Amino acid sequence: MLWALLPTGVVTSTCGPASLPRFPLWSPVVWLAAMTSRQRSLCGLAAHGLWFLGLVLLMDATARPANHSFSRERAANRDENEIIPPDHLNGVKLEMDGHLNKDFHQEVFLGKDMDGFDEDSEPRRSRRKLMVIFSKVDVNTDRRISAKEMQHWIMEKTAEHFQEAVKENKLHFRAVDPDGDGHVSWDEYKVKFLASKGHNEREIADAIKNHEELKVDEETQEVLGNLRDRWYQADNPPADLLLTEDEFLSFLHPEHSRGMLKFMVKEIVRDLDQDGDKQLSLPEFISLPVGTVENQQGQDIDDNWVKDRKKEFEELIDSNHDGIVTMEELENYMDPMNEYNALNEAKQMIAIADENQNHHLEPEEILKYSEFFTGSKLMDYARNVHEEF
């Protein structure tokens, strides 16, 4: 109810991956204070309570947004006919904006079964499901998972994400290729893209046909420019500015093409590189998005951001440990079908839960650390492990 009373003129912050409402500095204090003063004679203590509650809520809202990826929420909110390249790519270590993919380990462990372990799932059923997965990974049936077994499983689950992307791409390509000739021009795509953003499709098509200037805002113009660069990059030689279904897949999912993966890496390096040397130092990689920290919660978020990215940089991305990440190193790190990376990830995932330090993952351990592997915490793991088997 409080939010409905706030004044208009709200501006949005773009300093992080999941922007939250931001308000002018005067609004939470001055406006609410004025309202309190006006109603003091009527509401007394209740008005003071409302003022304080509103101020606390607004202070929380104005903290720097969390520097985390929200892939499940984004996936749930994406329209199935969305034709713009997604920010999040399942099974890829970095987001398109250079943020770490916080769901990566769950994606490469669960594959297309990501939704099977949500918070509302019945715990007993989830435990059984997790033990079924354990049995599948445990190929030699010795009731423990080795790094090699986990590596093969990661590659298999990554392939599932690839197959899902191919399936979705068929629907997206059909949406932008209404005549079904198997090719889409940049102008055809531009019409469909702008129509999906609320513009009149016929008017846009006529304007493009007559070489008229499109009446779109500056932000949309910038997005179109970025999409055009990406479109040309996805157009395999000999370039004809027409994308086939496979090329359109690379346009939407750069992880499916070596050339587009290189392009994605260049874009990330360009956004993070502060001195223009086309490589990344540790300070550049861990630098925070623009914004101000206004409470302890925001400071904790920033501290975790720096800690997580520093660990990733030093342990996984900087392969020769010289303190510099080249485009080649970043490309190898982001390649979802890199078997060497899959083995490193397998070892890291096992190490997280390997309490007895035997370099294997056992049923008790995977149940205890279920939140890391599935995103859901399954309680009473030790008591249930033998029953589930």
Side-chain angles (χ1 to χ4, degrees):
M1 295 297 294
L2 179 63
W3 299 107
L5 298 174
L6 291 174
T8 57
V10 173
V11 297
T12 302
S13 165
T14 58
C15 66
S19 298
L20 299 177
R22 294 184 68 90
F23 301 88
L25 291 176
W26 50 265
S27 56
V29 178
V30 176
W31 184 81
L32 282 173
M35 289 293 292
T36 301
S37 176
R38 190 181 303 167
Q39 296 176 358
R40 184 175 292 130
S41 61
L42 298 175
C43 301
L45 185 60
H48 284 285
L50 180 61
W51 182 90
F52 181 74
L53 175 61
L55 183 59
V56 170
L57 289 173
L58 287 172
M59 284 176 66
D60 270 350
T62 55
R64 186 203 310 274
N67 298 308
H68 295 276
S69 56
F70 296 93
S71 58
R72 294 190 186 187
E73 290 86 343
R74 279 201 295 264
N77 292 332
R78 274 181 63 81
D79 189 286
E80 68 174 16
N81 293 319
E82 187 77 56
I83 57 173
I84 190 171
D87 290 329
H88 176 82
L89 303 169
N90 287 336
V92 179
K93 296 278 292 185
L94 290 184
E95 309 284 12
M96 289 295 294
D97 59 9
H99 290 189
L100 296 180
N101 176 4
K102 291 294 180 179
D103 293 331
F104 175 77
H105 293 112
Q106 294 160 27
E107 290 167 0
V108 296
F109 184 74
L110 299 176
K112 61 184 180 182
D113 198 27
M114 284 282 290
D115 296 330
F117 290 88
D118 56 45
E119 293 299 328
D120 297 328
S121 297
E122 199 276 314
R124 182 182 176 86
R125 185 181 306 167
S126 294
R127 285 194 299 268
R128 283 190 172 178
K129 207 166 189 178
L130 185 54
M131 287 298 95
V132 168
I133 293 175
F134 183 98
S135 300
K136 290 179 179 178
V137 184
D138 180 23
V139 178
N140 64 3
T141 66
D142 64 352
R143 289 194 58 172
R144 58 184 197 168
I145 294 174
S146 67
K148 273 291 183 184
E149 287 173 325
M150 184 66 86
Q151 176 197 26
H152 293 316
W153 182 256
I154 288 173
M155 296 297 292
E156 185 179 324
K157 296 295 106 178
T158 301
E160 283 185 7
H161 290 303
F162 270 53
Q163 292 159 10
E164 284 293 303
V166 170
K167 190 186 304 181
E168 291 175 2
N169 183 65
K170 288 184 180 296
L171 297 176
H172 301 326
F173 188 76
R174 200 175 301 155
V176 295
D177 182 31
D179 58 8
D181 66 353
H183 296 84
V184 178
S185 70
W186 166 246
D187 284 345
E188 286 176 323
Y189 173 79
K190 188 160 55 174
V191 169
K192 293 295 183 181
F193 168 74
L194 291 174
S196 74
K197 299 302 177 185
H199 294 270
N200 183 286
E201 185 169 341
R202 177 170 291 181
E203 289 179 2
I204 291 293
D206 289 343
I208 291 176
K209 183 179 179 180
N210 297 325
H211 305 289
E212 298 173 2
E213 184 177 353
L214 297 178
K215 297 177 181 179
V216 297
D217 57 49
E218 187 175 335
E219 182 180 351
T220 302
Q221 287 282 16
E222 184 178 352
V223 172
L224 280 172
N226 292 334
L227 289 174
R228 185 181 63 245
D229 293 342
R230 188 173 178 141
W231 185 274
Y232 290 174
Q233 187 68 33
D235 183 18
N236 292 327
D240 55 7
L241 301 186
L242 299 173
L243 297 194
T244 63
E245 185 174 318
D246 286 343
E247 290 170 334
F248 193 70
L249 173 64
S250 297
F251 171 73
L252 292 182
H253 288 273
E255 76 274 21
H256 285 251
S257 158
R258 175 60 65 179
M260 285 302 291
L261 186 62
K262 287 180 182 291
F263 178 76
M264 179 179 174
V265 166
K266 286 180 181 178
E267 293 284 287
I268 291 175
V269 170
R270 182 198 65 187
D271 291 342
L272 300 179
D273 179 21
Q274 297 172 11
D275 59 12
D277 63 356
K278 298 183 180 179
Q279 52 189 8
L280 299 177
S281 63
L282 177 60
E284 288 173 331
F285 190 74
I286 67 175
S287 61
L288 289 160
V290 177
T292 56
V293 175
E294 299 179 13
N295 58 25
Q296 185 58 45
Q297 182 183 9
Q299 184 62 57
D300 291 343
I301 288 169
D302 284 353
D303 291 345
N304 288 332
W305 161 274
V306 171
K307 178 183 175 183
D308 291 345
R309 290 179 74 85
K310 184 175 187 292
K311 180 179 179 181
E312 201 76 7
F313 184 99
E314 293 177 340
E315 296 183 8
L316 294 173
I317 309 178
D318 182 17
S319 56
N320 63 0
H321 305 293
D322 65 350
I324 295 294
V325 166
T326 64
M327 287 194 187
E328 182 180 359
E329 284 177 317
L330 190 58
E331 182 184 337
N332 289 334
Y333 163 79
M334 291 182 60
D335 183 1
M337 298 309 290
N338 185 319
E339 293 188 10
Y340 178 75
N341 281 353
L343 181 59
N344 281 338
E345 290 300 333
K347 291 177 179 177
Q348 185 184 54
M349 290 169 72
I350 289 174
I352 291 291
D354 185 21
E355 290 197 338
N356 62 10
Q357 299 295 302
N358 67 350
H359 306 293
H360 287 74
L361 194 62
E362 297 177 0
E364 293 88 350
E365 293 169 335
I366 197 171
L367 281 171
K368 183 173 182 178
Y369 289 86
S370 60
E371 192 168 9
F372 173 77
F373 292 100
T374 70
S376 297
K377 196 167 187 176
L378 311 179
M379 305 304 290
D380 300 326
Y381 56 90
R383 189 174 67 188
N384 290 282
V385 63
H386 298 296
E387 179 184 346
E388 301 304 348
F389 256 100

